[in-house]
């Protein structure tokens, strides 16, 4: 209990304990409700939501390479009902039991040179595993930063911050509507999680009690079953920002996370013939010397998805570098260019022969 609460009278302390008890663990009833709660706090995922302090059974996690969302800070958590566990899958997201929840918070600091200070939460997205599949919902944080409210129709939020170089940045951030969530999370016509895959969690994460490999931690915590041994048999992607890692692996990791949820044989962009998953062999299906299925302004008058050695002649680079609707890729979830990733992809395409 905090010192501030201890200084309150007995009645106030009792009220605090009563309120805290109500949110000391996630509400399985709220997770499984036919209609999602209006307020994020009703799920009981956090004891201190603004400080991102989870309640019992809610575990933080992080992918080694993450989806770019206008540079937003992201805080991710997983909840699996007591006595149940997710099932390990080698190449796709784990199969989570009914009653599970995935929580992702999006935030911006006032100044990216001090990313842990004056952080403003913008939205929280939750994915809930029901009997008939996954449900996805977005919650918009209020100005007081005390709670977030369900926004089925999405929202637009003005962001003003300072980037790592000290330059002011302002833009309009988009909270997705229900249909936009489906647009990215569809696989073979069903909504699925994207982030919790073995290859992207196979590295050490700094937990409160020390660093541990996330896959082993999930297993020991009872969150994951079927984890193969030895761990060396499990694929692992690098952090795409790690300049000491292999250039091809860094670029492929970024494309896998940022593009391959659509650009894969089972995804919404399957008709493009461009498949950017981590395991895709370098060749025409990956875009190398591949002509676009439909040439329009999105091609930038370039002839190939990837022209080896020539990023200026490659549609992939043109679209990743653009911020123009109808041209930019990914087409949802961003208003800004990921300049560092664009530079990485230029270096990678230049290296191809």
């Amino acid at each position: 209990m905090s010192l501030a609460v201890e200084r309150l009278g007995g009645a106030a302390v009792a009220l605090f304990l009563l309120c805290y008890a109500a949110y000391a663990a996630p509400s399985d009833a709220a997770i499984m409700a036919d209609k999602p709660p209006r307020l994020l706090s009703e799920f009981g995922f956090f004891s201190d939501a603004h400080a991102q302090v989870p309640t019992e059974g809610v575990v933080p996690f992080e992918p080694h390479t993450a989806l770019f969302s206008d540079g937003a800070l992201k805080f991710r958590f997983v909840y699996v009902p007591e006595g149940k566990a997710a099932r390990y899958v080698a190449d796709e997201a784990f199969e989570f039991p009914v009653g599970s929840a995935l929580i992702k918070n999006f935030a911006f600091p006032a100044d990216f040179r001090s990313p842990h200070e004056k952080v403003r939460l913008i939205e929280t997205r939750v994915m809930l595993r029901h009997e008939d599949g996954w449900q996805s919902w977005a919650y918009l944080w209020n100005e007081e930063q005390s709670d977030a409210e369900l926004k089925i129709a999405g929202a637009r939020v003005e962001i003003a911050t300072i980037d790592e170089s000290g330059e002011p940045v302002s833009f309009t951030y988009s909270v997705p509507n229900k249909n936009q969530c489906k647009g990215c999370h569809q696989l073979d016509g069903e909504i699925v999680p994207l982030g919790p895959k073995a290859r992207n969690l196979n590295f050490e994460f700094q937990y409160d009690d020390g660093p541990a490999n996330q896959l082993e931690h999930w297993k020991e915590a009872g969150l994951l079953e079927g984890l193969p041994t030895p761990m060396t048999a499990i694929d692992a992607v690098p952090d795409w920002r790690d300049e000491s890692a292999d250039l091809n692996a860094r670029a492929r990791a970024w494309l896998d996370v940022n593009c391959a949820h659509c650009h894969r044989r089972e995804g919404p962009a399957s008709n493009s013939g461009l498949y950017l998953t981590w395991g895709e062999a370098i060749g025409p299906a990956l875009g190398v010397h591949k002509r676009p299925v439909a040439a329009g302004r999105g091609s930038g008058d370039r002839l190939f998805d990837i022209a080896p050695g020539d990023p200026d002649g490659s549609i992939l680079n043109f679209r990743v570098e653009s911020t123009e609707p109808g041209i930019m890729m990914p087409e949802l979830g961003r208003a800004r260019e990921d300049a560092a990733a664009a530079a990485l992809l230029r270096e990678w395409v230049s290296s191809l022969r």
Side-chain angles (χ1 to χ4, degrees), residues 49 79 103 114 128 150 155 165 196 219 242 244 254-255 280 287 300 342:
Y79 169 72
I103 308 107
S114 301
L128 311 173
L150 180 66
S165 67
K219 177 183 177 181
D242 181 2
S244 68
W254 191 91
L255 291 169
E280 189 68 46

Side-chain angles (χ1 to χ4, degrees), residues 305-330:
D305 288 343
I306 295 177
D310 183 15
D312 287 322
S314 299
I315 297 171
L316 182 144
N317 297 98
F318 173 66
R319 303 195 77 170
V320 168
E321 293 169 6
S322 176
T323 57
E324 186 176 344
I327 295 178
M328 69 177 184
M329 284 289 174

Side-chain angles (χ1 to χ4, degrees), residues 4 12 39 45 80-81 129 149 151 197 200 232 236 250 261 268 287 296:
L39 297 177
F45 293 137
V80 175
R129 184 65 169 90
E149 185 175 358
K151 291 292 179 182
K197 296 176 182 175
N200 220 1
T232 53
R250 292 169 61 206
H261 47 275

Side-chain angles (χ1 to χ4, degrees), residues 82-136:
E82 187 175 358
K84 298 182 180 181
R87 187 172 70 83
Y88 175 87
V89 178
D91 296 322
E92 303 293 349
F94 302 143
E95 292 186 3
F96 288 86
V98 170
S100 298
L102 294 166
I103 308 107
K104 183 161 63 172
N105 300 285
F106 296 71
F108 287 91
D111 189 331
F112 273 93
R113 293 171 298 180
S114 301
H116 304 298
E117 299 177 6
K118 298 180 180 179
V119 175
R120 175 191 174 194
L121 290 165
I122 304 299
E123 64 159 319
T124 297
R125 300 179 195 173
V126 297
M127 292 191 71
L128 311 173
R129 184 65 169 90
H130 285 196
E131 291 282 358
D132 58 352
W134 287 94
Q135 297 287 327
S136 183

Side-chain angles (χ1 to χ4, degrees), residues 219-277:
K219 177 183 177 181
E220 292 173 5
L223 298 175
L224 182 65
E225 61 184 14
L227 186 67
T229 54
M231 288 287 289
T232 53
I234 303 174
D235 207 355
V237 303
D239 181 341
W240 73 273
R241 301 164 297 182
D242 181 2
E243 295 183 1
S244 68
D246 176 75
L247 173 63
N248 180 66
R250 292 169 61 206
R252 295 297 303 275
W254 191 91
L255 291 169
D256 184 51
V257 169
N258 284 271
C259 308
H261 47 275
C262 288
H263 281 279
R264 55 180 296 167
R265 288 170 176 82
E266 310 87 347
S270 60
N271 60 353
S272 70
L274 177 64
Y275 309 128
L276 300 174
T277 51

Side-chain angles (χ1 to χ4, degrees), residues 34-309:
D34 292 335
K35 183 179 179 181
R38 185 178 68 86
L39 297 177
L40 179 68
S41 59
E42 296 178 61
F43 285 112
F45 293 137
F46 300 99
S47 58
D48 184 338
H50 187 262
Q52 297 293 279
V53 179
T55 49
E56 185 71 24
V58 178
V59 177
F61 73 94
E62 181 179 328
H64 218 179
T65 284
L67 178 73
F68 177 75
S69 302
D70 285 332
L73 304 177
K74 298 180 184 179
F75 310 99
R76 303 167 181 83
F77 301 86
V78 59
Y79 169 72
V80 175
E82 187 175 358
K84 298 182 180 181
R87 187 172 70 83
Y88 175 87
V89 178
D91 296 322
E92 303 293 349
F94 302 143
E95 292 186 3
F96 288 86
V98 170
S100 298
L102 294 166
I103 308 107
K104 183 161 63 172
N105 300 285
F106 296 71
F108 287 91
D111 189 331
F112 273 93
R113 293 171 298 180
S114 301
H116 304 298
E117 299 177 6
K118 298 180 180 179
V119 175
R120 175 191 174 194
L121 290 165
I122 304 299
E123 64 159 319
T124 297
R125 300 179 195 173
V126 297
M127 292 191 71
L128 311 173
R129 184 65 169 90
H130 285 196
E131 291 282 358
D132 58 352
W134 287 94
Q135 297 287 327
S136 183
W137 308 101
Y139 286 78
L140 179 68
W141 280 84
N142 58 25
E143 291 293 333
E144 297 77 23
Q145 297 282 277
S146 59
D147 212 334
E149 185 175 358
L150 180 66
K151 291 292 179 182
I152 296 175
R156 296 172 69 80
V157 182
E158 297 304 319
I159 302 296
T161 184
I162 297 173
D163 67 18
E164 292 85 347
S165 67
E167 292 296 319
V169 175
S170 60
F171 62 96
T172 302
Y173 176 91
S174 294
V175 176
N177 62 42
K178 185 68 173 171
N179 288 331
Q180 287 172 324
C181 291
K182 292 178 181 178
C184 289
H185 283 271
Q186 282 195 75
L187 182 65
D188 279 336
E190 295 185 7
I191 296 177
V192 298
L194 300 175
K197 296 176 182 175
R199 62 178 176 267
N200 220 1
L201 299 182
N202 191 10
F203 74 103
E204 280 196 348
F205 178 78
Q206 185 64 45
Y207 294 96
D208 287 342
D209 57 355
N213 180 282
Q214 291 184 100
L215 298 178
E216 293 179 330
H217 182 84
W218 282 33
K219 177 183 177 181
E220 292 173 5
L223 298 175
L224 182 65
E225 61 184 14
L227 186 67
T229 54
M231 288 287 289
T232 53
I234 303 174
D235 207 355
V237 303
D239 181 341
W240 73 273
R241 301 164 297 182
D242 181 2
E243 295 183 1
S244 68
D246 176 75
L247 173 63
N248 180 66
R250 292 169 61 206
R252 295 297 303 275
W254 191 91
L255 291 169
D256 184 51
V257 169
N258 284 271
C259 308
H261 47 275
C262 288
H263 281 279
R264 55 180 296 167
R265 288 170 176 82
E266 310 87 347
S270 60
N271 60 353
S272 70
L274 177 64
Y275 309 128
L276 300 174
T277 51
W278 170 253
E280 189 68 46
I282 293 182
L286 189 68
V288 177
H289 288 307
K290 174 190 166 299
R291 294 184 183 274
V293 171
R297 70 189 191 98
S299 71
D301 295 324
R302 305 178 186 198
L303 298 179
F304 299 105
D305 288 343
I306 295 177

